[in-house]
Amino acid sequence: MPRGRYSLHDPHDHSPLGDETFHCATGPSGWRYVSQLTTPSGGPAGSVDLAIDDLGRPIRLQLQSADWQVRGAALEGVTWVRTDQTGEHATEGNVRAHAFSGASPAFYVAVSRLLRLTPGGPATRLRLVSFTAPVLAPLTVDQSWALVARTAHPTDNGVLDVDEYQVSALDTGEQYAVHLAGDVVLSAPGVELEDLESPPSVFG
């Protein structure tokens, strides 16, 4: 069960946004990721709890950030409830989308499991609902994902496959690379893997 820490920063001006301390695990029914977020000064900034089934569909999402929280799942597309701490401003949403997205590295792993792309194969389009801290406002985004290459790297624990994805934002044309090893993000815009206590899990 991988445990580690990501540092998060603004992908444009590289200002630090804090850290995300995580653990995740695969199982016969899918994959689960749990993390705690801290500010650059070390204070609490929220949490992520994401579970996907064996096909990569989000069966439970719980996000907390500042005074807001989101609970969601795959239901007639994706469905969620966003509320403040008092519960007075709860709103429900539903979009014919494939999955959720956001700043957490967990979402890159979840999308890769959903798509199951072939190295060098064609790109795949998908629609995501993204939640952005600190208020977790939902935004529907369209992206294109392609698995550019899969490279084997020898390690002390055997060979580790690293996948390089090219992700394109279809509304702006912006492109960026995401590198994954199993269920761990090695690098992505705004994300750096700082510590990893155990090897990534390998999906079947």
Side-chain angles (χ1 to χ4, degrees), residues 155-179:
T155 70
D156 293 339
N157 298 299
V159 176
L160 184 66
D161 286 333
V162 175
D163 289 343
E164 178 186 352
Y165 291 89
Q166 179 177 283
V167 182
S168 302
L170 297 182
D171 57 344
T172 65
E174 179 186 9
Q175 294 184 341
Y176 54 88
V178 175
H179 293 84

Side-chain angles (χ1 to χ4, degrees), residues 105-190:
F107 295 111
Y108 290 121
V109 178
V111 170
S112 75
R113 295 304 299 156
L114 180 70
L115 297 179
R116 311 287 177 98
L117 299 179
T118 301
T124 298
R125 296 180 56 162
L126 76 163
R127 174 161 290 179
L128 304 170
V129 173
S130 180
F131 298 101
T132 305
V135 297
L136 300 180
L139 176 67
T140 302
V141 296
D142 292 306
Q143 295 181 345
S144 170
W145 280 58
L147 179 49
V148 178
R150 175 171 293 155
T151 307
H153 292 266
T155 70
D156 293 339
N157 298 299
V159 176
L160 184 66
D161 286 333
V162 175
D163 289 343
E164 178 186 352
Y165 291 89
Q166 179 177 283
V167 182
S168 302
L170 297 182
D171 57 344
T172 65
E174 179 186 9
Q175 294 184 341
Y176 54 88
V178 175
H179 293 84
L180 302 180
D183 58 353
V184 172
V185 177
L186 301 182
S187 66

